[in-house]
Amino acid sequence: MHMSEEVRRAKQAVSRSMFYTIGLNGILAYGIIIVILYTMGSLDDALNSSFPIIEICQGATGSIKAATAMVCGLLVISLSVNLASIA
């Protein structure tokens, strides 16, 4: 059973929605990269850290609790993406 069976003109609607989703995600990812580059702090600190994403989030927020919340959000998103890929 396909997920697109209940959509009118599924061939056009599904392919169009996939195209727009890829484009929108590319634009949003570019924005996230720009924000991270401007707020990450010292590049040497991030490179010398055992977990650079935690160091970058901590440098951006200035708070260990906020950095922990951000990294937990990233872990939840990563888990969701992996489960969706398996499904």
Side-chain angles (χ1 to χ4, degrees), residues 8 29 36 39 71 75 87:
R8 276 186 271 142
I36 287 174
T39 60
V71 172
L75 289 173

Side-chain angles (χ1 to χ4, degrees), residues 28 45 59 73 85:
L28 292 174
D45 291 342
S85 295

Side-chain angles (χ1 to χ4, degrees), residues 64-81:
I64 294 175
K65 290 180 182 180
T68 303
M70 289 174 70
V71 172
C72 286
L74 291 171
L75 289 173
V76 168
I77 290 170
S78 297
L79 178 65
S80 299
V81 167

